[in-house]
Amino acid sequence: MAAAVKALNAKIRSNPVPDYLCSTHFWGPASNFGIPLAAVLDTQKDADIISGRMTLALAGYSAVFMRYSMMVTPKNYLLFGCHVVNFSAQMTQGYRYLKYWNFGGREASLEAQAKEGLGTVENKAKEALDKVKEKLPK
């Protein structure tokens, strides 16, 4: 049995494509792509749920591993790409966080919500007034 496993391993390692697909240089970044995927999808959510600390931590993590991916031998371009995407998404989230909490985005959002609520109340009041006018004798 051990000889069969060794023979299979030698066969896989002799071809560069299966060798790469069976290595941690492929599966590490492939499994790590969930983090940048989640970060990109989070850019569509409200800015009030962004954690500034976590965004900073993930941006730092990605910056460190972008450097690491270029320092290992052989260079791991898939890992580099994964962390470029994550770093970019975290910078986008960081911009949204700062805009919302520090540069007036929260106030603008609350003002828009208040105006929307006021418009809804005015419409309901007009509908109620129209119903009352229909019921009154002429």
Side-chain angles (χ1 to χ4, degrees):
M1 181 68 171
V5 171
K6 281 185 179 182
L8 180 62
N9 190 28
K11 178 83 171 152
I12 289 172
R13 299 295 178 193
S14 67
N15 190 337
V17 173
D19 182 40
Y20 178 70
L21 292 177
C22 292
S23 72
T24 56
H25 273 265
F26 173 75
W27 286 108
S31 61
N32 197 37
F33 251 105
I35 295 171
L37 180 63
V40 169
L41 292 175
D42 282 348
T43 60
Q44 304 303 312
K45 295 181 180 176
D46 287 337
D48 65 337
I49 63 170
I50 298 171
S51 168
R53 290 180 178 178
M54 183 56 87
T55 298
L56 183 62
L58 286 171
Y61 156 79
S62 284
V64 166
F65 275 91
M66 277 192 293
R67 169 99 169 116
Y68 168 79
S69 69
M70 292 293 106
M71 293 293 103
V72 296
T73 305
K75 292 181 177 176
N76 194 335
Y77 294 107
L78 187 58
L79 184 64
F80 182 78
C82 172
H83 286 291
V84 164
V85 171
N86 190 35
F87 185 79
S88 302
Q90 295 306 328
M91 289 295 98
T92 301
Q93 290 292 79
Y95 169 76
R96 292 179 66 225
Y97 176 83
L98 290 173
K99 182 180 174 189
Y100 186 81
W101 290 105
N102 296 17
F103 300 121
R106 182 170 186 255
E107 290 78 14
S109 174
L110 293 174
E111 183 180 340
Q113 288 175 356
K115 286 180 180 177
E116 181 181 314
L118 180 61
T120 303
V121 169
E122 287 175 347
N123 288 339
K124 293 288 184 181
K126 285 179 184 176
E127 289 174 10
L129 183 62
D130 290 342
K131 285 183 183 178
V132 169
K133 284 183 180 178
E134 287 175 5
K135 301 279 180 178
L136 289 174
K138 294 183 181 181

